Amino acid sequence: MEAIHHPDYDRTVNMPFVPAIKVKSGRFCGSPARPHCRSNHDHPHKRDQIQQYMVNDLEAQTRRAMDGIKQTLDASGASFKDVVHYFVFRARPRMGDIGRASAIIGSYFAPFNHKPTSTNVAVLELGEPEQLIEIQMFAVSIEEK
């Protein structure tokens, strides 16, 4: 297995996880993404870093999370066409949130004409008070021999 990091990964920050793990006999990429969760911030989170990235807008947070997932998939040699399942966790849900988030998420799969399985869950809270969404994706592709 190989740990996958974004190209601009800053090794001076303390991260309790890696964005993805590449399996040599194929590819399995599990990518949790918070809207702000790039590799370039400290853990535990510093409030000024969180507030810089975490706007109170579901659509903006969804796009930021999906862009982070795209970076992770790219770094592992995979793409959205390789995603087999994704989980969406939404905090403080409002009517219509599933549709708004799903439309944005679906736009990342549209170029591949691909619709993976998914799970959408409303939760009481996520990792940060400002966080409205967390997305986790799992991608698998078979390497050619």
Side-chain angles (χ1 to χ4, degrees):
M1 291 190 297
E2 173 188 355
I4 302 295
H5 294 282
H6 297 148
D8 62 348
Y9 175 60
D10 180 355
R11 294 187 185 277
T12 65
V13 298
N14 177 30
M15 292 292 290
F17 58 85
V18 297
I21 296 174
K22 182 177 180 179
V23 178
K24 299 293 184 182
S25 63
R27 261 182 250 147
F28 173 79
C29 174
S31 180
R34 290 187 179 109
H36 72 287
C37 223
R38 309 278 193 227
S39 299
N40 295 330
H41 65 272
D42 293 302
H43 289 261
H45 295 143
K46 295 178 181 172
R47 295 309 306 155
D48 62 327
Q49 290 173 331
I50 297 298
Q51 291 166 345
Q52 178 182 356
Y53 294 105
M54 200 71 74
V55 297
N56 187 23
D57 180 292
L58 177 68
E59 289 89 345
Q61 287 192 21
T62 302
R63 281 186 197 87
R64 186 175 290 273
M66 292 300 291
D67 289 344
I69 289 170
K70 182 180 183 325
Q71 282 187 337
T72 301
L73 290 170
D74 290 347
S76 68
S79 73
F80 285 105
K81 74 177 173 11
D82 299 309
V83 172
V84 294
H85 188 85
Y86 65 90
F87 293 90
V88 178
F89 302 91
R90 293 172 299 105
R92 297 181 306 284
R94 298 166 301 179
M95 292 299 291
D97 279 356
I98 291 174
R100 285 190 295 280
S102 293
I104 293 166
I105 293 167
S107 73
Y108 286 77
F109 293 102
F112 304 103
N113 195 28
H114 175 55
K115 293 181 181 179
T117 62
S118 65
T119 304
N120 196 310
V121 180
V123 297
L124 182 60
E125 62 182 34
L126 291 165
E128 299 298 333
E130 300 87 352
Q131 188 176 352
L132 300 174
I133 193 164
E134 165 118 7
I135 303 168
Q136 296 180 355
M137 293 205 177
F138 299 93
V140 177
S141 65
I142 305 301
E143 291 181 355
E144 298 294 323
K145 292 188 178 191

